[in-house]
Amino acid sequence: ETVKSTVTLTSFTQDKDWIDNDYISKGTSSALYVANNGKELLFLTYTEKIINSEDIMVTFYDGYTAKGELKQSDDNTGLSIVSVKVDDVVQTTLDKIKIASLANSRVSNLLATPVIAIGRPYGNAESVGYGMLVSKGSYVYLNDQNYEILTTDIYGSTKANGIIINMKGEVLGIIDQQYCSEDCANLITAIGISDLKKTIERMSNGEERTYLGIKGMDVSDEIMQSQGVPKGAYVTNIVMGSPAMNAGIQSGDVIVKIGSTDILKYSDLTDANSEFQAETSVTIVLKRQSGDEYRDIEVEVVLKSM
């Protein structure tokens, strides 16, 4: 059933060979059907697979093909949305395909549950792997967003792409092998889908990502109690020249409010930040250590487009 929510993208790029003759190179990847806005079908895929393509062909699971267009990309995750005009797809195919159901990958009871990898887990089309989710709770820390890494015990290709799903057919994560640890390079690894939902929605609407320019983490209960760090989004690093740096935010600050939204953990900040438009001026309340205490500071930040 979930295969009805996946397509194969074929990208065509004009290149030159070693004696400077023109030729067309072809690449394929898996993509996930995430939305239908009435005019376009929208598919989530990997930017590197389609970047600089002259043409993109979308092949649905029933074999029907249609022309695709790059709609929006996200530099942070390396993901893109490809669109296909609804009018370019025959009704029989529209009746068969279905928008993917996205699970909650943040729940704590996922470990040791069975999962299926579909798409291209072995590097070739129409491959599938079965196994268990064996690790979660580690993160990759990128600008303005942390992404949870889900690791399975499915042995696959280091060039795998596609999705992992639960036994209900819901998508748990987007396969991304660049985040495998060195000694587990062939274990199918994915970015948790819950951390991608806002990005998928924004790209599907053709909106630019707003850019604050920080890296951070949650303040755990243990750290709060033992070291007196207040609850909020703890800033670990500031990107040079970013709106956060220009506003005077520093490493070690704890952000507790952005606009009218209280911040209790880092994901609260990233979710709230995604609701603002670029060039918006927003008030951020943070706590900064001064001696043995933390004092409140208000700063005005003009968010930019990433």
Side-chain angles (χ1 to χ4, degrees):
E1 283 298 302
T2 310
V3 170
K4 296 177 182 179
S5 304
T6 65
V7 297
T8 297
L9 299 186
T10 305
S11 58
F12 300 90
T13 306
Q14 185 169 325
D15 286 318
K16 290 183 179 293
D17 63 19
W18 64 281
I19 56 174
D20 213 30
N21 291 324
D22 291 332
Y23 74 97
I24 300 296
S25 63
K26 181 174 72 172
T28 57
S29 62
S30 178
L32 185 68
Y33 180 26
V34 293
N36 178 346
N37 62 18
K39 296 181 179 180
E40 304 166 308
L41 311 179
L42 303 174
F43 302 91
L44 181 70
T45 190
Y46 307 86
T47 306
E48 67 173 358
K49 301 294 184 180
I50 58 171
I51 198 70
N52 299 324
S53 297
E54 303 287 337
D55 290 294
I56 302 172
M57 294 302 297
V58 178
T59 303
F60 296 85
Y61 92 103
D62 64 351
Y64 186 81
T65 60
K67 181 177 174 59
E69 298 284 347
L70 175 62
K71 182 178 180 71
Q72 187 69 275
S73 295
D74 180 71
D75 290 342
N76 228 19
T77 59
L79 294 172
S80 290
I81 292 289
V82 169
S83 65
V84 173
K85 293 179 180 178
V86 172
D87 291 344
D88 290 344
V89 183
V90 295
Q91 190 60 48
T92 53
T93 296
L94 291 174
D95 291 340
K96 293 175 183 176
I97 62 176
K98 65 178 185 179
I99 296 172
S101 177
L102 307 184
N104 180 2
S105 61
R106 290 176 179 167
V107 296
S108 58
N109 61 349
L110 289 179
L111 281 181
T113 57
V115 292
I116 304 172
I118 65 174
R120 305 172 71 88
Y122 298 101
N124 56 294
E126 298 184 18
S127 55
V128 59
Y130 302 85
M132 284 188 176
L133 189 68
V134 296
S135 175
K136 71 187 300 287
S138 61
Y139 291 83
V140 54
Y141 300 95
L142 301 178
N143 293 336
D144 299 330
Q145 180 76 58
N146 297 340
Y147 299 95
E148 186 174 25
I149 303 303
L150 309 179
T151 303
T152 75
D153 62 357
I154 302 170
Y155 191 92
S157 169
T158 57
K159 299 180 180 180
N161 58 71
I163 58 177
I164 59 172
I165 62 174
N166 59 23
M167 292 298 102
K168 297 179 182 178
E170 299 168 330
V171 179
L172 282 170
I174 305 298
I175 295 173
D176 196 328
Q177 295 300 90
Q178 68 174 310
Y179 299 121
C180 296
S181 59
E182 290 185 8
D183 55 345
C184 298
N186 285 95
L187 295 185
I188 296 298
T189 301
I191 299 176
I193 196 66
S194 291
D195 294 329
L196 292 171
K197 287 179 180 178
K198 288 284 188 180
T199 299
I200 293 170
E201 180 181 357
R202 177 184 51 76
M203 288 195 296
S204 297
N205 292 331
E207 300 170 354
E208 294 286 344
R209 174 189 285 274
T210 50
Y211 178 49
L212 178 59
I214 70 169
K215 295 183 180 180
M217 58 190 296
D218 294 346
V219 177
S220 67
D221 291 338
E222 180 182 355
I223 294 296
M224 184 176 61
Q225 294 169 8
S226 64
Q227 300 184 27
V229 180
K231 204 73 170 173
Y234 184 84
V235 179
T236 59
N237 195 19
I238 300 292
V239 180
M240 293 293 292
S242 66
M245 172 171 276
N246 293 337
I249 298 175
Q250 302 174 8
S251 298
D253 289 344
V254 182
I255 296 175
V256 295
K257 193 169 188 177
I258 179 170
S260 60
T261 303
D262 292 328
I263 306 301
L264 297 177
K265 55 185 184 295
Y266 190 73
S267 60
D268 291 343
L269 175 63
T270 58
D271 288 347
N273 182 41
S274 67
E275 299 297 329
F276 295 102
Q277 299 294 319
E279 304 303 326
T280 298
S281 179
V282 60
T283 301
I284 289 181
V285 180
L286 55 88
K287 291 183 178 292
R288 179 173 296 166
Q289 190 168 20
S290 177
D292 295 331
E293 298 180 336
Y294 279 83
R295 58 189 177 93
D296 288 345
I297 295 177
E298 280 192 9
V299 297
E300 288 293 321
V301 179
V302 178
L303 299 172
K304 298 297 183 180
S305 169
M306 182 173 286

